[in-house]
Amino acid sequence: MLITAIVVLAVGTYAIRLSGVVLRDRLELSEPLQRLLPMSAAALLAALAGTAALMAGSEFAGFARPAGVLVGGLLAWRKAPFVVVVVAAAAVTALLRLAGVE
């Protein structure tokens, strides 16, 4: 059963990707829509990041995780090396949890 589900999802994913290549020359998008698509992708990614940062399942993740994400975001904005961003975000989250801040 699990293998069947994996194969069906793989075929569906491949079909969606293939349809983009096949329909590229046949489908004309308007200029406003062409400008809107990249912004909608960015908005979707921002919503996903916000949900992952603030929620643990269906409940609020507490204040430690968003604080770590905020520190990581600030360091990334200041163009710190990736390793520094990840270690600092994890350290802030761990230290806040160690201090009893959930």
Side-chain angles (χ1 to χ4, degrees), residues 25-61:
D25 296 331
R26 295 182 184 179
L27 188 62
E28 287 282 330
L29 298 177
S30 66
E31 186 65 31
L33 185 59
Q34 286 180 0
R35 284 194 313 266
L36 184 65
L37 285 176
M39 290 186 287
S40 64
L44 182 63
L45 287 174
L48 181 63
T51 302
L54 296 174
M55 303 299 289
S58 62
E59 297 181 7
F60 178 61

Side-chain angles (χ1 to χ4, degrees), residues 13 18-19 35-36 43 47 50 55 59 77 86 92 95-96 98 100:
T13 302
L18 183 63
S19 68
R35 284 194 313 266
L36 184 65
M55 303 299 289
E59 297 181 7
W77 177 59
V86 172
V92 166
L95 289 173
L96 285 173
L98 187 65

Side-chain angles (χ1 to χ4, degrees), residues 49-87:
T51 302
L54 296 174
M55 303 299 289
S58 62
E59 297 181 7
F60 178 61
F63 293 102
R65 186 188 298 178
V69 171
L70 179 65
V71 168
L74 288 173
L75 287 173
W77 177 59
R78 300 293 296 165
K79 298 193 183 337
F82 181 71
V83 174
V84 173
V85 171
V86 172
V87 169

